[in-house]
Every structure is written in structure tokens, then in C-alpha cells.
């Protein structure tokens, strides 16, 4: 009897962040420059970082070298992209893409790290978003072969959580405008209001840039 080889699901990957992967594509390049700022950014497919990404990598390298609180934790961390985006009221934000497998180590120091980076990039909000890949299953494929965490909906939900971390999301509501378009209202834990309120417009602007969806971040109305 012939043994049948199970058919593999032909899935197509889409990366919301244009740079991704978690391996080091530089090979010997990295071994020669292992003590330079370039080792703090590792892009997909041996792509070279642009000038802005190099400036963010340099800031991380400087913090690792000079900040006693962050030095040990930053030693083994790197990013995979950095973008400057326009958000509401003429403000700019810096969106830093990090490898998904490094999300927890970054979360450990995120509040301190973001605070230091915002000092270095004066006047710009800094947010960290994990690099995730969406698996699109073609019409001939098996949907059961795709993990829920790799669906577009799940990835968009995860981006919301990344943007507001460490503030927790306590509710979501879908609203329809008069023109029929939809906007999601995301309710944040009011206990973190003092540390997150100044970034509400940034959260909405960055989410729109990454997903094309409108979101309003606010806090639940407290009953008197």
C-alpha cells in the first residue's frame, strides 16, 4: 500500500510591519560589528536600516552603555524596525517594531525604556509593537490549519494591547457614524489614567496607520 503524504495548507503570510523576522540576517557582518549600535536592529532579508532606524538603534545602544537600570536587560534585546508617523494635532510618534519572541523581555523594562527614549526624542511619543504575521488561508485551503492567533482579527486585537501596555483594556464598543462608517471605542483602565492619558491621540493615530481602522481610546465614565 502506498503511504499518503498529508497535504500541507498553502497559507500566505502578510506582515503588518514591513520589517520583521527574528533571525540575524547579517552573518559575518554582525560578528565584525558586534559592539556597535547596528547590532540593536536586525531587519528581515538582510535589509539595511534607514537613517531614522539607525538613530533609534543608536539610542538603545547608548542606553545600554550608560543607563545602569537598563544595561543588563537591554544587552540581549534588539528591534526590527522603527518608523516616525504623524498623529493628531501635528504631533509625531515613534513606532518601534520588536520581535514577537522578545515581547516579554521588553515588557519587563518597557515603562523605563519608553521614558528614556521619549527624553532622547524630545516631543515625540514612543510606542512598542510586536512583529506579528497574519496567515491568509486561500479558498482551497483548510481554515482549521490556521491558528487563531494568526488571523487578521487576532493580530489587530494584539496590536491594541501592545499600544497601551501596561494599561489594561477593560472594554470595547463598536459605534456607527452618521455616514455609516464604523469606529471602535476602546475603554482603558482608569487607574492608569495619569500615565496614559497624554498618549490617547497617539494610540489612535498609530493604530490607524498600522491597520487602517478608526479607534477612539477613552476611559469609562465613573459613576458618582
Amino acid at each position: 500500500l502506498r503511504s499518503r503524504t498529508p497535504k500541507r495548507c498553502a497559507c500566505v503570510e502578510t506582515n503588518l510591519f514591513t520589517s520583521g523576522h527574528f533571525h540575524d540576517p547579517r552573518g559575518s557582518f554582525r560578528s565584525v560589528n558586534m559592539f556597535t549600535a547596528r547590532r540593536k536592529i536586525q531587519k528581515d532579508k538582510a535589509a539595511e536600516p534607514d537613517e531614522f532606524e539607525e538613530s533609534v538603534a543608536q539610542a538603545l545602544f547608548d542606553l545600554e552603555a550608560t543607563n545602569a537600570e537598563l544595561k543588563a536587560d537591554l544587552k540581549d534585546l534588539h528591534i526590527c524596525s522603527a518608523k516616525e508617523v504623524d498623529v493628531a494635532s501635528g504631533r509625531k510618534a515613534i513606532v518601534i517594531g520588536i520581535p514577537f519572541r522578545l515581547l516579554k523581555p521588553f515588557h519587563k523594562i518597557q515603562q523605563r525604556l519608553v521614558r528614556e527614549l521619549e527624553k532622547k526624542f524630545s516631543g515625540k511619543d514612543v510606542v512598542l509593537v510586536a512583529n506579528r504575521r497574519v496567515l491568509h488561508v486561500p479558498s482551497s485551503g483548510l481554515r482549521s490549519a490556521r491558528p487563531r492567533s494568526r488571523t487578521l482579527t487576532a493580530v489587530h486585537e494584539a496590536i491594541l494591547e501592545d499600544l497601551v501596555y501596561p494599561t489594561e483594556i477593560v472594554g470595547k464598543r463598536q459605534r456607527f457614524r452618521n455616514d455609516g462608517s464604523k469606529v471602535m471605542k476602546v475603554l482603558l483602565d482608569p487607574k492608569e489614567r495619569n500615565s496614559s492619558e497624554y498618549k490617547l491621540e497617539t494610540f489612535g493615530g498609530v493604530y490607524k496607520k498600522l491597520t487602517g481602522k478608526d479607534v477612539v481610546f477613552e476611559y469609562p465614565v465613573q459613576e458618582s
Side-chain angles (χ1 to χ4, degrees):
L1 295 176
R2 290 184 178 178
S3 60
R4 292 186 177 180
T5 303
K7 294 183 178 179
R8 298 178 64 187
C9 175
C11 298
V12 179
E13 289 194 356
T14 299
N15 188 0
L16 290 178
F17 252 125
T18 55
S19 19
H21 264 314
F22 316 134
H23 67 290
D24 179 10
R26 291 176 175 70
S28 60
F29 177 87
R30 189 185 180 198
S31 65
V32 174
N33 297 277
M34 61 184 300
F35 297 112
T36 71
R38 291 289 287 274
R39 69 182 175 85
K40 303 307 291 182
I41 181 166
Q42 298 178 21
K43 294 177 66 69
D44 192 19
K45 298 178 182 177
E48 289 292 313
D50 60 31
E51 184 177 349
F52 182 74
E53 288 175 324
E54 287 184 346
S55 71
V56 175
Q58 183 66 54
L60 291 171
F61 181 77
D62 292 343
L63 286 173
E64 181 184 328
T66 62
N67 190 299
E69 290 186 351
L70 296 171
K71 184 180 181 69
D73 291 307
L74 276 176
K75 181 180 178 181
D76 297 320
L77 298 181
H78 62 268
I79 64 174
C80 52
S81 66
K83 299 177 183 297
E84 189 176 47
V85 301
D86 294 318
V87 291
S89 304
R91 297 170 63 188
K92 290 184 179 293
I94 297 172
V95 186
I96 299 177
I98 59 178
F100 178 75
R101 65 180 179 84
L102 296 180
L103 183 59
K104 287 186 177 180
F106 266 105
H107 276 177
K108 180 182 175 182
I109 60 170
Q110 182 161 328
Q111 286 179 287
R112 286 173 293 160
L113 177 61
V114 167
R115 184 167 60 246
E116 293 300 323
L117 288 173
E118 288 180 344
K119 289 178 185 177
K120 287 183 174 290
F121 295 93
S122 177
K124 297 172 185 174
D125 294 335
V126 174
V127 294
L128 306 183
V129 179
N131 184 57
R132 296 178 175 86
R133 293 187 179 276
V134 178
L135 283 179
H136 298 284
V137 180
S139 57
S140 58
L142 298 174
R143 292 189 177 276
S144 60
R146 179 179 59 167
R148 185 191 174 280
S149 63
R150 305 293 290 278
T151 64
L152 186 66
T153 299
V155 169
H156 284 186
E157 289 175 354
I159 289 174
L160 283 175
E161 294 175 358
D162 286 353
L163 286 174
V164 303
Y165 184 87
T167 302
E168 290 187 10
I169 294 173
V170 297
K172 297 175 187 174
R173 297 172 184 169
Q174 196 78 256
R175 291 287 184 266
F176 289 88
R177 297 192 180 101
N178 292 333
D179 60 3
S181 61
K182 293 188 297 184
V183 60
M184 182 190 299
K185 287 193 174 184
V186 176
L187 304 179
L188 303 179
D189 187 347
K191 290 184 294 185
E192 299 291 337
R193 188 167 194 150
N194 290 339
S195 61
S196 60
E197 187 169 22
Y198 75 100
K199 277 188 174 179
L200 295 186
E201 288 186 336
T202 294
F203 294 155
V206 171
Y207 190 77
K208 175 76 171 179
K209 293 284 186 181
L210 294 179
T211 68
K213 295 181 178 179
D214 291 317
V215 172
V216 174
F217 293 86
E218 57 186 38
Y219 303 94
V221 176
Q222 300 294 307
E223 295 182 2
S224 57

